[in-house]
Amino acid sequence: NRISVRTVRYYIQLGLLIPGKRDGQLYFDQTSSLELKEILELKEDGFLLQEIGEWLTWERDKGMETQEKRQRKQGLLRNSALPRRVMN
């Protein structure tokens, strides 16, 4: 999967991607790369960028219990108008 620099910048602007900075340059560690992959998969499944943002916020929340994350994600899947495959 190829993604344009413009799209990556847009995802950063929206707060979907949070790359690190080193010597004034953006860099993507393994976590950032996995999040980009997840964004692309969720988008392919029909999620809106706002929904993806919510999803990633829950994923990044270290204080949130795994069960609560799972419940929120299931609620997001249920409330969607588009059919999607279930993500684990």
Short mmCIF file of all heavy atoms in Angstrom, two decimals, residues 1 5 7 9 11 14 21 23 27 36-37 42 57 67-68 74 81:
data_model
loop_
_atom_site.label_atom_id
_atom_site.label_comp_id
_atom_site.label_asym_id
_atom_site.label_seq_id
_atom_site.Cartn_x
_atom_site.Cartn_y
_atom_site.Cartn_z
N ASN A 1 0.83 -1.19 0.00
CA ASN A 1 0.00 0.00 0.00
C ASN A 1 0.87 1.24 0.00
O ASN A 1 1.70 1.43 0.86
CB ASN A 1 -0.87 0.04 1.25
CG ASN A 1 -2.23 -0.55 1.02
OD1 ASN A 1 -2.62 -0.79 -0.11
ND2 ASN A 1 -2.95 -0.77 2.08
N VAL A 5 2.41 11.65 0.59
CA VAL A 5 2.92 12.52 1.65
C VAL A 5 1.82 13.47 2.09
O VAL A 5 1.66 13.75 3.28
CB VAL A 5 4.17 13.30 1.17
CG1 VAL A 5 4.60 14.34 2.18
CG2 VAL A 5 5.30 12.33 0.87
N THR A 7 -1.39 12.96 2.16
CA THR A 7 -2.33 12.24 3.02
C THR A 7 -1.75 12.06 4.41
O THR A 7 -2.44 12.27 5.41
CB THR A 7 -2.70 10.88 2.40
OG1 THR A 7 -3.32 11.10 1.13
CG2 THR A 7 -3.65 10.10 3.29
N ARG A 9 0.45 13.95 5.87
CA ARG A 9 0.41 15.27 6.52
C ARG A 9 -1.00 15.60 7.01
O ARG A 9 -1.17 16.20 8.07
CB ARG A 9 0.92 16.34 5.56
CG ARG A 9 2.40 16.29 5.37
CD ARG A 9 2.88 17.43 4.50
NE ARG A 9 4.32 17.35 4.33
CZ ARG A 9 4.95 17.70 3.23
NH1 ARG A 9 4.28 18.16 2.20
NH2 ARG A 9 6.26 17.60 3.17
N TYR A 11 -3.32 13.44 7.92
CA TYR A 11 -3.57 12.62 9.11
C TYR A 11 -2.86 13.19 10.33
O TYR A 11 -3.40 13.14 11.44
CB TYR A 11 -3.13 11.17 8.87
CG TYR A 11 -3.97 10.41 7.87
CD1 TYR A 11 -3.53 9.20 7.35
CD2 TYR A 11 -5.20 10.88 7.44
CE1 TYR A 11 -4.30 8.48 6.44
CE2 TYR A 11 -5.97 10.17 6.52
CZ TYR A 11 -5.51 8.98 6.02
OH TYR A 11 -6.26 8.27 5.13
N LEU A 14 -4.86 16.23 11.50
CA LEU A 14 -6.08 15.82 12.20
C LEU A 14 -5.79 15.19 13.56
O LEU A 14 -6.70 14.98 14.35
CB LEU A 14 -6.88 14.82 11.36
CG LEU A 14 -7.49 15.35 10.07
CD1 LEU A 14 -8.16 14.21 9.30
CD2 LEU A 14 -8.49 16.46 10.35
N LYS A 21 9.68 13.69 16.47
CA LYS A 21 10.51 14.68 15.78
C LYS A 21 11.94 14.51 16.22
O LYS A 21 12.23 14.35 17.39
CB LYS A 21 10.05 16.10 16.11
CG LYS A 21 9.08 16.67 15.14
CD LYS A 21 8.96 18.17 15.33
CE LYS A 21 8.11 18.70 14.19
NZ LYS A 21 8.00 20.15 14.22
N ASP A 23 15.70 16.32 15.20
CA ASP A 23 16.44 17.32 14.41
C ASP A 23 15.53 18.04 13.42
O ASP A 23 15.90 18.27 12.27
CB ASP A 23 17.62 16.68 13.67
CG ASP A 23 18.64 16.07 14.63
OD1 ASP A 23 18.84 16.66 15.71
OD2 ASP A 23 19.22 15.03 14.29
N TYR A 27 9.66 11.63 12.18
CA TYR A 27 10.03 10.22 11.98
C TYR A 27 8.93 9.34 12.54
O TYR A 27 8.19 9.71 13.42
CB TYR A 27 11.39 9.89 12.61
CG TYR A 27 11.37 9.78 14.12
CD1 TYR A 27 11.17 8.56 14.74
CD2 TYR A 27 11.55 10.91 14.92
CE1 TYR A 27 11.14 8.46 16.12
CE2 TYR A 27 11.53 10.82 16.29
CZ TYR A 27 11.33 9.59 16.88
OH TYR A 27 11.30 9.50 18.25
N LEU A 36 -0.58 3.88 11.38
CA LEU A 36 -0.88 4.22 9.98
C LEU A 36 -1.54 3.03 9.29
O LEU A 36 -2.54 3.18 8.59
CB LEU A 36 0.37 4.65 9.23
CG LEU A 36 0.16 5.00 7.76
CD1 LEU A 36 -0.86 6.10 7.59
CD2 LEU A 36 1.49 5.38 7.12
N LYS A 37 -1.01 1.85 9.53
CA LYS A 37 -1.60 0.64 8.95
C LYS A 37 -3.04 0.47 9.45
O LYS A 37 -3.94 0.16 8.67
CB LYS A 37 -0.76 -0.58 9.33
CG LYS A 37 -1.28 -1.86 8.75
CD LYS A 37 -0.42 -3.04 9.15
CE LYS A 37 -1.05 -4.31 8.61
NZ LYS A 37 -0.52 -5.50 9.18
N LEU A 42 -8.93 0.63 8.74
CA LEU A 42 -10.23 1.12 9.20
C LEU A 42 -10.92 1.94 8.11
O LEU A 42 -12.13 1.84 7.90
CB LEU A 42 -10.08 1.94 10.48
CG LEU A 42 -9.68 1.14 11.72
CD1 LEU A 42 -9.28 2.07 12.86
CD2 LEU A 42 -10.80 0.21 12.16
N THR A 57 -7.82 7.17 19.84
CA THR A 57 -7.78 7.77 21.18
C THR A 57 -7.94 6.70 22.23
O THR A 57 -7.23 6.68 23.24
CB THR A 57 -8.88 8.84 21.32
OG1 THR A 57 -8.63 9.88 20.37
CG2 THR A 57 -8.91 9.43 22.72
N GLN A 67 -11.28 -4.00 28.67
CA GLN A 67 -12.70 -4.32 28.51
C GLN A 67 -13.49 -3.08 28.07
O GLN A 67 -14.35 -3.17 27.21
CB GLN A 67 -13.27 -4.88 29.83
CG GLN A 67 -14.73 -5.27 29.76
CD GLN A 67 -14.99 -6.40 28.78
OE1 GLN A 67 -14.13 -7.23 28.51
NE2 GLN A 67 -16.17 -6.45 28.22
N GLU A 68 -13.18 -1.94 28.65
CA GLU A 68 -13.87 -0.70 28.27
C GLU A 68 -13.56 -0.33 26.82
O GLU A 68 -14.44 0.09 26.08
CB GLU A 68 -13.49 0.45 29.20
CG GLU A 68 -14.26 1.72 28.91
CD GLU A 68 -13.91 2.87 29.84
OE1 GLU A 68 -13.14 2.67 30.80
OE2 GLU A 68 -14.40 3.98 29.57
N GLN A 74 -16.99 -1.93 20.10
CA GLN A 74 -18.18 -2.67 19.68
C GLN A 74 -19.36 -1.72 19.48
O GLN A 74 -20.13 -1.87 18.54
CB GLN A 74 -18.52 -3.76 20.69
CG GLN A 74 -17.54 -4.92 20.65
CD GLN A 74 -17.75 -5.92 21.77
OE1 GLN A 74 -18.45 -5.65 22.74
NE2 GLN A 74 -17.11 -7.07 21.66
N ALA A 81 -23.51 3.03 10.13
CA ALA A 81 -24.48 2.74 9.08
C ALA A 81 -23.92 1.79 8.03
O ALA A 81 -24.65 1.20 7.27
CB ALA A 81 -24.91 4.04 8.41
#
